[in-house]
Amino acid sequence: MKGILLVNLGSPRSTAVNDVKEYLDEFLMDEKVIDYRWIFRALLVRGIILNTRPAKSAEAYKTVWTEQGSPLIVITEKIQKKLQKLVDVPVEIGMRYAQPSIEAGIQKLVDQGVTEIVLFPLYPQYAMSTTETVIDKAEEVRKKSFPNIKINYIQPFYNREIYTDCLAESIREKLPENFDALQFSYHGVPERHIYKTDPTKTCNLNDCCSRENNPSHQFCYRHQCFGCDQFCY
């Protein structure tokens, strides 16, 4: 029996400073997010960041928190419910950091008799700190707790017509009749992450993003961001 697991980034359990601190510790200590050696990462995160940022981040979270809880969790749950109405297999959610965890999501599917999971990282573009860390964590959990479960991973969907059409339509609804330019904004990643995620070693961050069929494209966040802009037009 198949099942679907939707995976998103995650969120603190509440806007309490201690909950935010716990979340930031798990998030920032991930070597796929801050890719320093453990000792340097610990000095930076636990020696500096966690002593200054949690209180400020907690205040920021309070400005977007809803009555139902974290916006990201609430929205992901809405996606789950809508998808569940469209498919005849179980759909659950998991978060890369905090709760509900990837392990908890897999366990819910297993409890419903699922033996093969389609895991859907909810990131259009591939990056070391998003898709790659989700896959690594899911494989770690599978090998440790669910060795008999098969997991298939959805590939980046930045250029899938069904996604870009929906994105373009949602943008079109908000645009004024006359406008001069449309600006797309993305999270940045360190250049070294681009090179680290490229097993083909063909990326040079110069002209390869615009080069057709370059082998690194399937792993390149930069190329996929540019590609999404083009497809939306």
Side-chain angles (χ1 to χ4, degrees):
M1 179 178 175
K2 291 185 178 181
I4 299 172
L5 184 64
L6 305 175
V7 179
N8 218 326
L9 180 71
S11 176
R13 288 179 291 183
S14 76
T15 59
V17 174
N18 285 341
D19 285 342
V20 174
K21 184 175 183 178
E22 180 181 0
Y23 168 75
L24 289 177
D25 182 59
E26 182 181 3
F27 174 42
L28 297 176
M29 283 300 294
D30 182 355
E31 65 179 353
K32 299 290 185 179
V33 175
I34 298 180
D35 55 332
Y36 297 158
R37 291 173 57 187
W38 185 91
I39 185 64
F40 296 116
R41 191 164 67 250
L43 287 171
L44 174 63
V45 175
R46 294 172 177 170
I48 300 175
I49 295 176
L50 294 185
N51 291 314
T52 58
R53 184 180 295 183
K56 295 178 181 178
S57 294
E59 289 302 314
Y61 274 114
K62 288 177 183 178
T63 65
V64 298
W65 214 256
T66 71
E67 292 183 0
Q68 295 77 30
S70 160
L72 185 139
I73 303 294
V74 172
I75 291 171
T76 305
E77 288 173 342
K78 288 181 179 179
I79 294 172
Q80 173 203 5
K81 291 174 182 176
K82 288 186 176 183
L83 179 59
Q84 187 65 82
K85 293 178 180 179
L86 299 175
V87 299
D88 57 1
V89 300
V91 181
E92 297 293 344
I93 68 172
M95 299 291 149
R96 174 58 184 87
Y97 311 104
Q99 299 296 325
S101 66
I102 290 175
E103 183 170 5
I106 293 176
Q107 186 64 64
K108 283 186 176 182
L109 291 173
V110 170
D111 290 344
Q112 296 174 74
V114 169
T115 56
E116 185 175 344
I117 295 172
V118 176
L119 191 149
F120 201 128
L122 295 176
Y123 308 106
Q125 297 89 12
Y126 186 97
M128 188 170 85
S129 54
T130 54
T131 309
E132 187 170 311
T133 189
V134 164
I135 294 173
D136 285 355
K137 183 64 177 181
E139 281 300 300
E140 175 188 317
V141 169
R142 184 190 64 80
K143 291 175 182 178
K144 179 182 178 181
S145 304
F146 308 97
N148 297 322
I149 296 297
K150 181 180 180 181
I151 302 180
N152 299 307
Y153 298 95
I154 296 297
Q155 298 301 309
F157 50 94
Y158 70 99
N159 59 349
R160 294 290 296 272
E161 190 172 303
I162 191 171
Y163 168 70
T164 55
D165 284 352
C166 288
L167 190 60
E169 184 59 33
S170 67
I171 294 171
R172 196 174 293 116
E173 291 174 354
K174 305 295 190 299
L175 286 176
E177 290 186 8
N178 299 306
F179 65 98
D180 295 324
L182 178 63
Q183 180 172 325
F184 287 74
S185 177
Y186 299 89
H187 284 289
V189 299
E191 287 188 2
R192 64 181 181 276
H193 282 203
I194 302 292
Y195 291 120
K196 283 185 175 182
T197 57
D198 175 23
T200 70
K201 304 304 177 186
T202 59
C203 179
N204 58 32
L205 286 180
N206 292 321
D207 64 342
C208 65
C209 278
S210 58
R211 195 182 307 149
E212 288 190 16
N213 302 319
N214 200 70
S216 67
H217 287 349
Q218 62 181 314
F219 306 102
C220 182
Y221 178 75
R222 185 173 185 268
H223 163 78
Q224 293 178 13
C225 288
F226 285 137
C228 184
D229 293 358
Q230 295 166 4
F231 281 105
C232 282
Y233 283 109

